[in-house]
Amino acid sequence: MVSLLSVHSVLPYGTGAAAVETAARIHANGMLALFVSAIFGGALITAMTWFVEGQTSMLTRVIVAWVAGALLALGAFNHVIVVTIELIFGIRFGADIPWTFVLGNFALAAAGNIIGGVGLVTLNRLTQGKAGASSRASA
């Protein structure tokens, strides 16, 4: 997809400069910042999944997904798929970023997303469910 979209004149003029700037900004971050950002990114997307699955209204599902996507983008959180695509776009448009960084960040972001999604959100949700079941059983 990136190879097709980065063909000359497929995307509007100026897209390349923005892609290079975004990739350079990601590359300039330290590993700790990228990892902590990935933890929050994973928690955000997992929370969005829980919220969407708990809704019956399609409109509410769409709104929740849009809000979570906007927060992910505006906060520039390190989501494994989104940031990898941003880095590849940047490289295709001329950013001087080594492929080892892209692969290393992919692994770092995947680990952080799992910790944030499973560790912060899913385990928390499961313990809330158990606590609720226990209090209903004792009542």
Side-chain angles (χ1 to χ4, degrees), residues 66-87:
W66 273 91
V67 168
L71 289 173
L72 186 70
L74 292 173
F77 297 113
N78 195 2
H79 184 270
V80 65
I81 302 303
V82 175
V83 170
T84 300
I85 291 171
E86 289 173 338
L87 289 171

mmCIF file with all atom_site columns, all heavy atoms in Angstrom, residues 66-87:
data_model
loop_
_atom_site.group_PDB
_atom_site.id
_atom_site.type_symbol
_atom_site.label_atom_id
_atom_site.label_alt_id
_atom_site.label_comp_id
_atom_site.label_asym_id
_atom_site.label_entity_id
_atom_site.label_seq_id
_atom_site.pdbx_PDB_ins_code
_atom_site.Cartn_x
_atom_site.Cartn_y
_atom_site.Cartn_z
_atom_site.occupancy
_atom_site.B_iso_or_equiv
_atom_site.pdbx_formal_charge
_atom_site.auth_seq_id
_atom_site.auth_comp_id
_atom_site.auth_asym_id
_atom_site.auth_atom_id
_atom_site.pdbx_PDB_model_num
ATOM 1   N N   . TRP A 1 66 ? -13.854 6.762  16.162 1.00 0.00 ? 66 TRP A N   1
ATOM 2   C CA  . TRP A 1 66 ? -13.295 8.017  15.663 1.00 0.00 ? 66 TRP A CA  1
ATOM 3   C C   . TRP A 1 66 ? -12.565 8.774  16.767 1.00 0.00 ? 66 TRP A C   1
ATOM 4   O O   . TRP A 1 66 ? -11.487 9.320  16.543 1.00 0.00 ? 66 TRP A O   1
ATOM 5   C CB  . TRP A 1 66 ? -14.386 8.890  15.053 1.00 0.00 ? 66 TRP A CB  1
ATOM 6   C CG  . TRP A 1 66 ? -14.620 8.576  13.615 1.00 0.00 ? 66 TRP A CG  1
ATOM 7   C CD1 . TRP A 1 66 ? -15.501 7.683  13.107 1.00 0.00 ? 66 TRP A CD1 1
ATOM 8   C CD2 . TRP A 1 66 ? -13.952 9.138  12.493 1.00 0.00 ? 66 TRP A CD2 1
ATOM 9   N NE1 . TRP A 1 66 ? -15.426 7.653  11.740 1.00 0.00 ? 66 TRP A NE1 1
ATOM 10  C CE2 . TRP A 1 66 ? -14.479 8.542  11.334 1.00 0.00 ? 66 TRP A CE2 1
ATOM 11  C CE3 . TRP A 1 66 ? -12.954 10.098 12.354 1.00 0.00 ? 66 TRP A CE3 1
ATOM 12  C CZ2 . TRP A 1 66 ? -14.047 8.868  10.060 1.00 0.00 ? 66 TRP A CZ2 1
ATOM 13  C CZ3 . TRP A 1 66 ? -12.530 10.425 11.077 1.00 0.00 ? 66 TRP A CZ3 1
ATOM 14  C CH2 . TRP A 1 66 ? -13.067 9.813  9.959  1.00 0.00 ? 66 TRP A CH2 1
ATOM 15  N N   . VAL A 1 67 ? -13.142 8.824  17.942 1.00 0.00 ? 67 VAL A N   1
ATOM 16  C CA  . VAL A 1 67 ? -12.504 9.535  19.055 1.00 0.00 ? 67 VAL A CA  1
ATOM 17  C C   . VAL A 1 67 ? -11.183 8.853  19.427 1.00 0.00 ? 67 VAL A C   1
ATOM 18  O O   . VAL A 1 67 ? -10.158 9.523  19.607 1.00 0.00 ? 67 VAL A O   1
ATOM 19  C CB  . VAL A 1 67 ? -13.457 9.626  20.272 1.00 0.00 ? 67 VAL A CB  1
ATOM 20  C CG1 . VAL A 1 67 ? -12.717 10.079 21.518 1.00 0.00 ? 67 VAL A CG1 1
ATOM 21  C CG2 . VAL A 1 67 ? -14.609 10.557 19.963 1.00 0.00 ? 67 VAL A CG2 1
ATOM 22  N N   . ALA A 1 68 ? -11.183 7.536  19.521 1.00 0.00 ? 68 ALA A N   1
ATOM 23  C CA  . ALA A 1 68 ? -9.957  6.810  19.859 1.00 0.00 ? 68 ALA A CA  1
ATOM 24  C C   . ALA A 1 68 ? -8.900  6.998  18.770 1.00 0.00 ? 68 ALA A C   1
ATOM 25  O O   . ALA A 1 68 ? -7.717  7.210  19.075 1.00 0.00 ? 68 ALA A O   1
ATOM 26  C CB  . ALA A 1 68 ? -10.253 5.328  20.063 1.00 0.00 ? 68 ALA A CB  1
ATOM 27  N N   . GLY A 1 69 ? -9.309  6.942  17.513 1.00 0.00 ? 69 GLY A N   1
ATOM 28  C CA  . GLY A 1 69 ? -8.370  7.160  16.420 1.00 0.00 ? 69 GLY A CA  1
ATOM 29  C C   . GLY A 1 69 ? -7.791  8.561  16.434 1.00 0.00 ? 69 GLY A C   1
ATOM 30  O O   . GLY A 1 69 ? -6.595  8.766  16.200 1.00 0.00 ? 69 GLY A O   1
ATOM 31  N N   . ALA A 1 70 ? -8.640  9.545  16.733 1.00 0.00 ? 70 ALA A N   1
ATOM 32  C CA  . ALA A 1 70 ? -8.169  10.931 16.822 1.00 0.00 ? 70 ALA A CA  1
ATOM 33  C C   . ALA A 1 70 ? -7.180  11.100 17.974 1.00 0.00 ? 70 ALA A C   1
ATOM 34  O O   . ALA A 1 70 ? -6.146  11.751 17.825 1.00 0.00 ? 70 ALA A O   1
ATOM 35  C CB  . ALA A 1 70 ? -9.355  11.877 16.994 1.00 0.00 ? 70 ALA A CB  1
ATOM 36  N N   . LEU A 1 71 ? -7.481  10.502 19.118 1.00 0.00 ? 71 LEU A N   1
ATOM 37  C CA  . LEU A 1 71 ? -6.559  10.580 20.258 1.00 0.00 ? 71 LEU A CA  1
ATOM 38  C C   . LEU A 1 71 ? -5.231  9.905  19.936 1.00 0.00 ? 71 LEU A C   1
ATOM 39  O O   . LEU A 1 71 ? -4.161  10.407 20.299 1.00 0.00 ? 71 LEU A O   1
ATOM 40  C CB  . LEU A 1 71 ? -7.186  9.941  21.499 1.00 0.00 ? 71 LEU A CB  1
ATOM 41  C CG  . LEU A 1 71 ? -8.327  10.705 22.144 1.00 0.00 ? 71 LEU A CG  1
ATOM 42  C CD1 . LEU A 1 71 ? -8.961  9.878  23.261 1.00 0.00 ? 71 LEU A CD1 1
ATOM 43  C CD2 . LEU A 1 71 ? -7.831  12.043 22.687 1.00 0.00 ? 71 LEU A CD2 1
ATOM 44  N N   . LEU A 1 72 ? -5.290  8.769  19.249 1.00 0.00 ? 72 LEU A N   1
ATOM 45  C CA  . LEU A 1 72 ? -4.067  8.055  18.859 1.00 0.00 ? 72 LEU A CA  1
ATOM 46  C C   . LEU A 1 72 ? -3.220  8.927  17.936 1.00 0.00 ? 72 LEU A C   1
ATOM 47  O O   . LEU A 1 72 ? -2.005  9.028  18.106 1.00 0.00 ? 72 LEU A O   1
ATOM 48  C CB  . LEU A 1 72 ? -4.423  6.731  18.179 1.00 0.00 ? 72 LEU A CB  1
ATOM 49  C CG  . LEU A 1 72 ? -3.260  5.807  17.841 1.00 0.00 ? 72 LEU A CG  1
ATOM 50  C CD1 . LEU A 1 72 ? -2.659  5.227  19.113 1.00 0.00 ? 72 LEU A CD1 1
ATOM 51  C CD2 . LEU A 1 72 ? -3.718  4.694  16.922 1.00 0.00 ? 72 LEU A CD2 1
ATOM 52  N N   . ALA A 1 73 ? -3.860  9.565  16.962 1.00 0.00 ? 73 ALA A N   1
ATOM 53  C CA  . ALA A 1 73 ? -3.131  10.400 16.005 1.00 0.00 ? 73 ALA A CA  1
ATOM 54  C C   . ALA A 1 73 ? -2.650  11.710 16.629 1.00 0.00 ? 73 ALA A C   1
ATOM 55  O O   . ALA A 1 73 ? -1.487  12.092 16.457 1.00 0.00 ? 73 ALA A O   1
ATOM 56  C CB  . ALA A 1 73 ? -4.009  10.692 14.794 1.00 0.00 ? 73 ALA A CB  1
ATOM 57  N N   . LEU A 1 74 ? -3.540  12.401 17.350 1.00 0.00 ? 74 LEU A N   1
ATOM 58  C CA  . LEU A 1 74 ? -3.167  13.690 17.925 1.00 0.00 ? 74 LEU A CA  1
ATOM 59  C C   . LEU A 1 74 ? -2.109  13.549 19.014 1.00 0.00 ? 74 LEU A C   1
ATOM 60  O O   . LEU A 1 74 ? -1.252  14.415 19.166 1.00 0.00 ? 74 LEU A O   1
ATOM 61  C CB  . LEU A 1 74 ? -4.404  14.399 18.478 1.00 0.00 ? 74 LEU A CB  1
ATOM 62  C CG  . LEU A 1 74 ? -5.410  14.859 17.417 1.00 0.00 ? 74 LEU A CG  1
ATOM 63  C CD1 . LEU A 1 74 ? -6.669  15.394 18.090 1.00 0.00 ? 74 LEU A CD1 1
ATOM 64  C CD2 . LEU A 1 74 ? -4.797  15.897 16.497 1.00 0.00 ? 74 LEU A CD2 1
ATOM 65  N N   . GLY A 1 75 ? -2.181  12.464 19.760 1.00 0.00 ? 75 GLY A N   1
ATOM 66  C CA  . GLY A 1 75 ? -1.179  12.222 20.793 1.00 0.00 ? 75 GLY A CA  1
ATOM 67  C C   . GLY A 1 75 ? 0.103   11.645 20.242 1.00 0.00 ? 75 GLY A C   1
ATOM 68  O O   . GLY A 1 75 ? 1.097   11.538 20.965 1.00 0.00 ? 75 GLY A O   1
ATOM 69  N N   . ALA A 1 76 ? 0.101   11.265 18.971 1.00 0.00 ? 76 ALA A N   1
ATOM 70  C CA  . ALA A 1 76 ? 1.265   10.662 18.311 1.00 0.00 ? 76 ALA A CA  1
ATOM 71  C C   . ALA A 1 76 ? 1.787   9.462  19.107 1.00 0.00 ? 76 ALA A C   1
ATOM 72  O O   . ALA A 1 76 ? 2.979   9.317  19.318 1.00 0.00 ? 76 ALA A O   1
ATOM 73  C CB  . ALA A 1 76 ? 2.357   11.705 18.074 1.00 0.00 ? 76 ALA A CB  1
ATOM 74  N N   . PHE A 1 77 ? 0.857   8.625  19.549 1.00 0.00 ? 77 PHE A N   1
ATOM 75  C CA  . PHE A 1 77 ? 1.249   7.452  20.325 1.00 0.00 ? 77 PHE A CA  1
ATOM 76  C C   . PHE A 1 77 ? 1.817   6.367  19.415 1.00 0.00 ? 77 PHE A C   1
ATOM 77  O O   . PHE A 1 77 ? 1.456   6.257  18.251 1.00 0.00 ? 77 PHE A O   1
ATOM 78  C CB  . PHE A 1 77 ? 0.056   6.928  21.130 1.00 0.00 ? 77 PHE A CB  1
ATOM 79  C CG  . PHE A 1 77 ? -0.430  7.925  22.137 1.00 0.00 ? 77 PHE A CG  1
ATOM 80  C CD1 . PHE A 1 77 ? -1.670  8.514  22.006 1.00 0.00 ? 77 PHE A CD1 1
ATOM 81  C CD2 . PHE A 1 77 ? 0.380   8.302  23.196 1.00 0.00 ? 77 PHE A CD2 1
ATOM 82  C CE1 . PHE A 1 77 ? -2.105  9.457  22.918 1.00 0.00 ? 77 PHE A CE1 1
ATOM 83  C CE2 . PHE A 1 77 ? -0.044  9.241  24.119 1.00 0.00 ? 77 PHE A CE2 1
ATOM 84  C CZ  . PHE A 1 77 ? -1.293  9.817  23.978 1.00 0.00 ? 77 PHE A CZ  1
ATOM 85  N N   . ASN A 1 78 ? 2.709   5.568  19.965 1.00 0.00 ? 78 ASN A N   1
ATOM 86  C CA  . ASN A 1 78 ? 3.456   4.566  19.218 1.00 0.00 ? 78 ASN A CA  1
ATOM 87  C C   . ASN A 1 78 ? 2.635   3.284  19.067 1.00 0.00 ? 78 ASN A C   1
ATOM 88  O O   . ASN A 1 78 ? 2.798   2.340  19.827 1.00 0.00 ? 78 ASN A O   1
ATOM 89  C CB  . ASN A 1 78 ? 4.787   4.288  19.917 1.00 0.00 ? 78 ASN A CB  1
ATOM 90  C CG  . ASN A 1 78 ? 5.769   3.543  19.041 1.00 0.00 ? 78 ASN A CG  1
ATOM 91  O OD1 . ASN A 1 78 ? 5.503   3.245  17.885 1.00 0.00 ? 78 ASN A OD1 1
ATOM 92  N ND2 . ASN A 1 78 ? 6.922   3.245  19.603 1.00 0.00 ? 78 ASN A ND2 1
ATOM 93  N N   . HIS A 1 79 ? 1.763   3.259  18.086 1.00 0.00 ? 79 HIS A N   1
ATOM 94  C CA  . HIS A 1 79 ? 1.003   2.048  17.771 1.00 0.00 ? 79 HIS A CA  1
ATOM 95  C C   . HIS A 1 79 ? 1.782   1.292  16.713 1.00 0.00 ? 79 HIS A C   1
ATOM 96  O O   . HIS A 1 79 ? 2.214   1.857  15.714 1.00 0.00 ? 79 HIS A O   1
ATOM 97  C CB  . HIS A 1 79 ? -0.399  2.395  17.279 1.00 0.00 ? 79 HIS A CB  1
ATOM 98  C CG  . HIS A 1 79 ? -1.236  1.197  17.029 1.00 0.00 ? 79 HIS A CG  1
ATOM 99  N ND1 . HIS A 1 79 ? -1.265  0.572  15.811 1.00 0.00 ? 79 HIS A ND1 1
ATOM 100 C CD2 . HIS A 1 79 ? -2.047  0.485  17.848 1.00 0.00 ? 79 HIS A CD2 1
ATOM 101 C CE1 . HIS A 1 79 ? -2.070  -0.471 15.882 1.00 0.00 ? 79 HIS A CE1 1
ATOM 102 N NE2 . HIS A 1 79 ? -2.553  -0.536 17.109 1.00 0.00 ? 79 HIS A NE2 1
ATOM 103 N N   . VAL A 1 80 ? 1.964   0.004  16.915 1.00 0.00 ? 80 VAL A N   1
ATOM 104 C CA  . VAL A 1 80 ? 2.874   -0.793 16.091 1.00 0.00 ? 80 VAL A CA  1
ATOM 105 C C   . VAL A 1 80 ? 2.589   -0.678 14.596 1.00 0.00 ? 80 VAL A C   1
ATOM 106 O O   . VAL A 1 80 ? 3.516   -0.517 13.797 1.00 0.00 ? 80 VAL A O   1
ATOM 107 C CB  . VAL A 1 80 ? 2.894   -2.270 16.574 1.00 0.00 ? 80 VAL A CB  1
ATOM 108 C CG1 . VAL A 1 80 ? 1.558   -2.948 16.375 1.00 0.00 ? 80 VAL A CG1 1
ATOM 109 C CG2 . VAL A 1 80 ? 3.985   -3.051 15.873 1.00 0.00 ? 80 VAL A CG2 1
ATOM 110 N N   . ILE A 1 81 ? 1.347   -0.728 14.192 1.00 0.00 ? 81 ILE A N   1
ATOM 111 C CA  . ILE A 1 81 ? 1.023   -0.676 12.765 1.00 0.00 ? 81 ILE A CA  1
ATOM 112 C C   . ILE A 1 81 ? 1.096   0.753  12.244 1.00 0.00 ? 81 ILE A C   1
ATOM 113 O O   . ILE A 1 81 ? 1.723   1.027  11.209 1.00 0.00 ? 81 ILE A O   1
ATOM 114 C CB  . ILE A 1 81 ? -0.380  -1.277 12.503 1.00 0.00 ? 81 ILE A CB  1
ATOM 115 C CG1 . ILE A 1 81 ? -0.446  -2.726 12.991 1.00 0.00 ? 81 ILE A CG1 1
ATOM 116 C CG2 . ILE A 1 81 ? -0.754  -1.164 11.035 1.00 0.00 ? 81 ILE A CG2 1
ATOM 117 C CD1 . ILE A 1 81 ? 0.584   -3.643 12.380 1.00 0.00 ? 81 ILE A CD1 1
ATOM 118 N N   . VAL A 1 82 ? 0.477   1.686  12.949 1.00 0.00 ? 82 VAL A N   1
ATOM 119 C CA  . VAL A 1 82 ? 0.411   3.073  12.482 1.00 0.00 ? 82 VAL A CA  1
ATOM 120 C C   . VAL A 1 82 ? 1.807   3.668  12.341 1.00 0.00 ? 82 VAL A C   1
ATOM 121 O O   . VAL A 1 82 ? 2.154   4.248  11.302 1.00 0.00 ? 82 VAL A O   1
ATOM 122 C CB  . VAL A 1 82 ? -0.463  3.925  13.429 1.00 0.00 ? 82 VAL A CB  1
ATOM 123 C CG1 . VAL A 1 82 ? -0.439  5.382  13.035 1.00 0.00 ? 82 VAL A CG1 1
ATOM 124 C CG2 . VAL A 1 82 ? -1.882  3.395  13.462 1.00 0.00 ? 82 VAL A CG2 1
ATOM 125 N N   . VAL A 1 83 ? 2.635   3.544  13.368 1.00 0.00 ? 83 VAL A N   1
ATOM 126 C CA  . VAL A 1 83 ? 3.960   4.162  13.339 1.00 0.00 ? 83 VAL A CA  1
ATOM 127 C C   . VAL A 1 83 ? 4.868   3.467  12.324 1.00 0.00 ? 83 VAL A C   1
ATOM 128 O O   . VAL A 1 83 ? 5.662   4.132  11.650 1.00 0.00 ? 83 VAL A O   1
ATOM 129 C CB  . VAL A 1 83 ? 4.577   4.187  14.758 1.00 0.00 ? 83 VAL A CB  1
ATOM 130 C CG1 . VAL A 1 83 ? 6.036   4.593  14.710 1.00 0.00 ? 83 VAL A CG1 1
ATOM 131 C CG2 . VAL A 1 83 ? 3.797   5.155  15.630 1.00 0.00 ? 83 VAL A CG2 1
ATOM 132 N N   . THR A 1 84 ? 4.739   2.173  12.176 1.00 0.00 ? 84 THR A N   1
ATOM 133 C CA  . THR A 1 84 ? 5.549   1.489  11.161 1.00 0.00 ? 84 THR A CA  1
ATOM 134 C C   . THR A 1 84 ? 5.209   1.996  9.766  1.00 0.00 ? 84 THR A C   1
ATOM 135 O O   . THR A 1 84 ? 6.098   2.254  8.949  1.00 0.00 ? 84 THR A O   1
ATOM 136 C CB  . THR A 1 84 ? 5.347   -0.042 11.251 1.00 0.00 ? 84 THR A CB  1
ATOM 137 O OG1 . THR A 1 84 ? 5.746   -0.475 12.558 1.00 0.00 ? 84 THR A OG1 1
ATOM 138 C CG2 . THR A 1 84 ? 6.181   -0.768 10.208 1.00 0.00 ? 84 THR A CG2 1
ATOM 139 N N   . ILE A 1 85 ? 3.933   2.189  9.492  1.00 0.00 ? 85 ILE A N   1
ATOM 140 C CA  . ILE A 1 85 ? 3.524   2.741  8.194  1.00 0.00 ? 85 ILE A CA  1
ATOM 141 C C   . ILE A 1 85 ? 4.052   4.166  8.035  1.00 0.00 ? 85 ILE A C   1
ATOM 142 O O   . ILE A 1 85 ? 4.548   4.544  6.959  1.00 0.00 ? 85 ILE A O   1
ATOM 143 C CB  . ILE A 1 85 ? 1.995   2.681  8.035  1.00 0.00 ? 85 ILE A CB  1
ATOM 144 C CG1 . ILE A 1 85 ? 1.547   1.222  7.890  1.00 0.00 ? 85 ILE A CG1 1
ATOM 145 C CG2 . ILE A 1 85 ? 1.528   3.509  6.841  1.00 0.00 ? 85 ILE A CG2 1
ATOM 146 C CD1 . ILE A 1 85 ? 0.053   1.016  7.939  1.00 0.00 ? 85 ILE A CD1 1
ATOM 147 N N   . GLU A 1 86 ? 3.983   4.978  9.091  1.00 0.00 ? 86 GLU A N   1
ATOM 148 C CA  . GLU A 1 86 ? 4.504   6.338  9.018  1.00 0.00 ? 86 GLU A CA  1
ATOM 149 C C   . GLU A 1 86 ? 6.003   6.343  8.734  1.00 0.00 ? 86 GLU A C   1
ATOM 150 O O   . GLU A 1 86 ? 6.491   7.152  7.934  1.00 0.00 ? 86 GLU A O   1
ATOM 151 C CB  . GLU A 1 86 ? 4.217   7.092  10.317 1.00 0.00 ? 86 GLU A CB  1
ATOM 152 C CG  . GLU A 1 86 ? 2.760   7.429  10.506 1.00 0.00 ? 86 GLU A CG  1
ATOM 153 C CD  . GLU A 1 86 ? 2.456   8.018  11.872 1.00 0.00 ? 86 GLU A CD  1
ATOM 154 O OE1 . GLU A 1 86 ? 3.235   7.814  12.829 1.00 0.00 ? 86 GLU A OE1 1
ATOM 155 O OE2 . GLU A 1 86 ? 1.410   8.686  11.976 1.00 0.00 ? 86 GLU A OE2 1
ATOM 156 N N   . LEU A 1 87 ? 6.740   5.440  9.369  1.00 0.00 ? 87 LEU A N   1
ATOM 157 C CA  . LEU A 1 87 ? 8.180   5.362  9.132  1.00 0.00 ? 87 LEU A CA  1
ATOM 158 C C   . LEU A 1 87 ? 8.491   4.922  7.703  1.00 0.00 ? 87 LEU A C   1
ATOM 159 O O   . LEU A 1 87 ? 9.390   5.476  7.056  1.00 0.00 ? 87 LEU A O   1
ATOM 160 C CB  . LEU A 1 87 ? 8.830   4.409  10.141 1.00 0.00 ? 87 LEU A CB  1
ATOM 161 C CG  . LEU A 1 87 ? 8.897   4.912  11.584 1.00 0.00 ? 87 LEU A CG  1
ATOM 162 C CD1 . LEU A 1 87 ? 9.346   3.787  12.519 1.00 0.00 ? 87 LEU A CD1 1
ATOM 163 C CD2 . LEU A 1 87 ? 9.829   6.109  11.697 1.00 0.00 ? 87 LEU A CD2 1
#
